[in-house]
Amino acid sequence: MGVMQIGIDSFAALVEDPITHEKPTAAVRMTRLLEEIELADKAGLDFFGLGEHHREEYLDAAPAVILAAAATRTKNIRLGSAVTVLSAADPVRVHQEFATLDLISGGRAEIVVGRGSFIESFPLFGLKLEDYDDLFIEKLDLLLKLRDETYVNWSGKHRPALTGQGVFPRPLQKKLPVWLGVGGTPASFARAGALGLPLMVAIIGGEPHRFRPLIDLYREAGKRAGYGDDVLKVGVHVLGLVGDTDQAAADAFFPGYAAAFTKIGKERGWPAVTRGQFEALRRPKGALMVGEPSFVADKVAQMSEDLGGLERVTFQMSVAALRHEPMMRGIELLGEKVAPVLRSK
């Protein structure tokens, strides 16, 4: 197991401030997002990931374009998707976009593929929701073939066959890193292991230690398929914010967190979020990584131990509609106070 990597994931949320009800323009939010990525690089963080959504409240419909802009303003940080909604994308275009990003960034591009948690992309791109599973499995197969071969022979049900065409440009890295982003479906964990893909687990609620059986399933499937620990890496995507004090972090994060999850809850039949539920998730065993630097570092270290060792932990802050200032301060503290502690363990 290598040194733990610490990063940030963003959904480029464009929502009103839950307290002042002010809402930045799309252009202002995009400028701030690029400033966040630039600061994450300067603060020494390892990775910045951008989600992909096709909804009014997010600006990340074309993540590779944003990441390419960020690549020209950064030096060391790895840049990737979080996640690329592969079911609704053409794997050829995905590989071309991220290979291009890899060339622009000097070999810092990664792809985290997943199914996504919203379904707008299916009607938008003329796809049938009932093909959800088939589309993902087939397109992942093609993406991995494109990663491994320049001239591809491939056929499937949902896309015209490739009969030896070359797919260009090729990335600077020998192979683009492809992670599989998963929620809580056992088959997805087993699939990642069988394919020898690093695993990115989204843990946005409950208690992280409960994911241990699923992560064990991933590792067992990978070992059965002949893959070693150097390939079978595990990362976790968490919701969190580092503040100068526990109170400052909690007070900055809660209003937007409650607004976002109450809104999603209306669509999915969940009740409104309370401060009590939020505080319960901030406790040592809970999923929210919100607090002052040593508290957050201890929580992440404990999560890593509970899950059998983690190679990467990424913090999602934008879901909470944070003001720009606490977001930037959170990035600084994560890079300067939390990441060095976790890397030394």
Side-chain angles (χ1 to χ4, degrees):
M1 175 144 338
V3 174
M4 189 191 295
Q5 296 182 349
I6 303 297
I8 291 171
D9 289 333
S10 175
F11 292 167
L14 181 67
V15 291
E16 68 176 30
D17 184 300
I19 296 168
T20 67
H21 302 293
E22 292 172 0
K23 185 175 176 181
T25 65
V28 165
R29 177 68 187 101
M30 191 65 79
T31 298
R32 289 175 178 173
L33 175 61
L34 291 170
E35 288 171 1
E36 290 159 21
I37 304 174
E38 197 170 359
L39 180 59
D41 183 52
K42 285 179 180 158
L45 291 170
D46 300 292
F47 178 80
F48 201 105
L50 265 184
E52 179 195 335
H53 299 85
H54 302 273
R55 295 167 70 93
E56 184 180 5
E57 64 265 37
Y58 300 111
L59 295 176
D60 56 5
V65 179
I66 303 171
L67 293 169
T72 67
R73 299 167 61 153
T74 55
K75 292 188 173 66
N76 300 307
I77 197 165
R78 298 189 68 75
L79 301 165
S81 53
V83 300
T84 294
V85 184
L86 194 60
S87 306
D90 181 350
V92 173
R93 290 300 282 154
V94 169
H95 193 275
Q96 288 176 323
E97 287 167 0
F98 281 86
T100 303
L101 172 63
D102 204 50
L103 295 172
I104 293 168
S105 65
R108 293 185 278 134
E110 299 188 7
I111 309 173
V112 184
V113 297
R115 298 158 189 263
S117 57
F118 297 105
I119 57 172
E120 288 80 14
S121 51
F122 285 83
L124 187 63
F125 297 113
L127 301 163
K128 295 176 182 169
L129 194 55
E130 57 264 33
D131 294 333
Y132 186 83
D133 284 322
D134 276 357
L135 282 163
F136 184 77
I137 292 164
E138 182 177 293
K139 291 183 174 191
L140 179 58
D141 177 61
L142 175 53
L143 180 65
L144 296 178
K145 206 161 176 64
L146 294 163
R147 179 191 68 168
D148 294 342
E149 302 169 16
T150 303
Y151 298 91
V152 174
N153 287 284
W154 177 91
S155 64
K157 285 193 301 184
H158 298 286
R159 188 201 186 282
L162 293 174
T163 54
Q165 293 96 325
V167 176
F168 303 103
R170 303 310 294 176
L172 181 60
Q173 297 175 86
K174 190 173 178 188
K175 287 184 184 182
L176 277 174
V178 176
W179 295 62
L180 189 58
V182 297
T185 311
S188 297
F189 285 79
R191 179 179 300 125
L195 292 170
L197 294 176
L199 183 75
M200 198 70 198
V201 188
I203 303 181
I204 61 171
E207 297 181 338
H209 71 87
R210 294 176 187 270
F211 280 78
R212 179 63 183 264
L214 291 167
I215 289 171
D216 287 346
L217 177 67
Y218 160 74
R219 291 184 172 123
E220 286 157 16
K223 286 186 174 132
R224 270 201 309 276
Y227 296 105
D229 291 337
D230 58 322
V231 171
L232 300 172
K233 300 174 182 175
V234 178
V236 171
H237 159 105
V238 296
L239 304 183
L241 173 68
V242 187
D244 289 294
T245 65
D246 282 338
Q247 192 71 39
D251 289 348
F253 199 79
F254 174 72
Y257 167 84
F261 277 84
T262 299
K263 183 177 183 197
I264 294 167
K266 281 181 185 167
E267 296 176 18
R268 302 184 187 181
W270 305 340
V273 176
T274 67
R275 183 73 187 232
Q277 290 167 332
F278 171 77
E279 292 299 339
L281 286 170
R282 282 210 319 118
R283 289 181 195 135
K285 289 287 185 185
L288 288 180
M289 303 292 168
V290 177
E292 54 84 22
S294 61
F295 176 78
V296 172
D298 287 347
K299 262 191 95 163
V300 172
Q302 185 62 55
M303 178 175 67
S304 179
E305 188 178 320
D306 290 344
L307 298 178
L310 298 174
E311 270 75 20
R312 178 179 287 176
V313 176
T314 57
F315 283 66
Q316 162 61 268
M317 300 187 281
S318 69
V319 74
L322 281 171
R323 289 187 179 89
H324 191 50
E325 293 73 22
M327 175 91 76
M328 297 290 272
R329 182 63 178 149
I331 292 169
E332 273 180 344
L333 290 169
L334 189 61
E336 294 169 9
K337 299 285 176 90
V338 176
V341 173
L342 292 167
R343 291 183 191 127
S344 68
K345 288 187 183 290

